[in-house]
Amino acid sequence: MPQRQPTPNDTLKSPQVLSDHRVKISIYAPKASEVTVSGDFPGGSPSMKLEKGEIGVWSVTIGPLKPDYYTYTLTVDGVRTMDPKNPVIKQGINSLENMMAVSGQETAFQDNKSVPHGEVRQVWYQSTSLDMPRRMHVYTPPGYEKSNTKYPVFYLLHGGGDDDSGWSTVGRANFILDNLLAAGKAKPMIVVMPNGSMPIRSTPGAMNPQAMTQMRTMFADELLKEVMPYVEKNYRILTGRENQAIAGLSMGGFQTLDVTLDIPVMLTPFGDTDTPKRKWFKEPDGLTMLVFFS
């Protein structure tokens, strides 16, 4: 059998974060006619074209970018593909995206630092309400396995298009909590990140209001009848309204509102004491967050 000949792909690196916070994205595709990249960075929507070099490597340099975590995907001759040189993936309910990090002081709060770390586990349970296996991610604080301590619990809900892995990948909730605990700015807690995307059928295109209402009702039932009882049975948590909180991003904000209005004596909206006020914030990226204040 003839030996495989080396190619530029063997030593190719992508993405490359440069010292001035620009990022170079590359892919080896010698037979391609067009390659583009799209993502949540400035200029990444709808897409940017890569230029082909003499050795079949397509590349583009974007930025400089503000320190943050970004997602992107490549399209080669009309076919959406992942960056084969980047193993860091963000999983959604309908797609996969690559992730890249531009480090700086602004991202220090979510960096993987040399501090005691908690654990994030993928937990599967059988949902009797939906008659199917379901998954959630659960964060336990440092030292959980070696103690008998009971902890407060925080239910953290993701936004639309994501699944239960979102908060521990692109959201980096576990590293944020590790750093806050190490700095004495938070109390140890268990964080439950359930899957808020529900299995419903809808017409193609934008989800109609009836389907959205159905999905929100289904999630409230799933959280109250399946997720919370499972957590109470399998984890050492403190019960009572003062020891249980809930918050969410975008779609998760709506779900937070649904659940807390239905069962205000069981869960405390994040930041609430007795009577919550609701306020809308428009984020720079266009997402709307629902935040509760006392």
Side-chain angles (χ1 to χ4, degrees), residues 200-216:
I200 65 171
R201 294 182 179 180
S202 181
T203 55
M207 185 173 290
N208 59 66
Q210 292 81 7
M212 181 64 74
T213 299
Q214 179 188 4
M215 184 174 70
R216 290 167 63 177

Side-chain angles (χ1 to χ4, degrees), residues 7-282:
T7 72
N9 193 52
D10 297 338
T11 56
L12 184 64
K13 294 182 179 180
S14 179
Q16 291 179 282
V17 181
L18 308 179
S19 59
D20 60 357
H21 289 178
R22 292 184 301 151
V23 179
K24 184 178 182 180
I25 297 174
S26 305
I27 185 172
Y28 180 64
K31 297 182 180 180
S33 300
E34 183 181 62
V35 180
T36 61
V37 61
S38 59
D40 57 5
F41 50 85
S45 179
S47 64
M48 298 176 65
K49 289 187 176 182
L50 280 69
E51 294 186 2
K52 186 178 183 180
E54 294 181 357
I55 58 175
V57 174
W58 296 74
S59 62
V60 65
T61 301
I62 58 178
L65 300 178
K66 294 180 180 179
D68 205 345
Y69 287 82
Y70 298 91
T71 60
Y72 70 97
T73 54
L74 293 162
T75 299
V76 180
D77 288 343
V79 179
R80 189 174 185 270
T81 186
M82 307 300 293
D83 184 342
K85 291 297 181 176
N86 182 0
V88 185
I89 301 296
K90 175 184 179 293
Q91 179 180 338
I93 58 173
N94 294 317
S95 63
L96 297 174
E97 296 175 291
N98 284 112
M99 288 179 57
M100 60 182 180
V102 179
S103 298
Q105 187 60 38
E106 296 91 332
T107 63
F109 73 97
Q110 56 185 333
D111 287 346
N112 184 356
K113 299 180 180 180
S114 181
V115 298
H117 291 290
E119 291 187 5
V120 178
R121 295 183 179 180
Q122 296 184 28
V123 178
W124 287 91
Y125 65 96
Q126 183 65 29
S127 170
T128 55
S129 300
L130 299 174
D131 191 26
M132 64 185 299
R134 296 276 290 174
R135 190 186 70 178
M136 56 182 159
H137 279 61
V138 179
Y139 168 89
T140 52
Y144 177 84
E145 297 295 337
K146 297 180 180 180
S147 75
N148 294 316
T149 304
K150 291 186 176 182
Y151 298 91
V153 60
F154 177 30
Y155 294 91
L156 184 57
L157 312 183
H158 62 78
D162 284 344
D163 64 11
D164 52 298
S165 68
W167 274 115
S168 54
T169 52
V170 66
R172 300 181 69 81
N174 51 314
F175 293 122
I176 294 172
L177 278 165
D178 291 340
N179 295 335
L180 288 173
L181 290 171
K185 295 181 179 180
K187 294 182 179 180
M189 69 185 78
I190 293 172
V191 181
V192 179
M193 297 162 275
N195 187 352
S197 298
M198 307 305 291
I200 65 171
R201 294 182 179 180
S202 181
T203 55
M207 185 173 290
N208 59 66
Q210 292 81 7
M212 181 64 74
T213 299
Q214 179 188 4
M215 184 174 70
R216 290 167 63 177
T217 301
M218 289 174 65
F219 175 75
D221 288 342
E222 181 72 6
L223 180 69
L224 300 176
K225 298 177 182 179
E226 306 290 347
V227 174
M228 291 179 64
Y230 182 94
V231 171
E232 291 174 3
K233 180 179 179 180
N234 292 279
Y235 289 88
R236 300 192 309 273
I237 66 167
L238 294 168
T239 57
R241 187 174 187 267
E242 68 278 9
N243 295 308
Q244 302 186 68
I246 185 171
L249 166 69
S250 191
M251 179 185 77
F254 282 107
Q255 292 170 332
T256 297
L257 177 60
D258 292 336
V259 172
T260 52
L261 290 182
D262 285 342
I263 51 160
V265 297
M266 293 178 63
L267 287 168
T268 301
F270 188 77
D272 172 56
T273 53
D274 290 313
T275 304
K277 299 177 183 177
R278 293 175 291 280
K279 187 171 183 179
W280 295 95
F281 280 94
K282 197 70 175 179

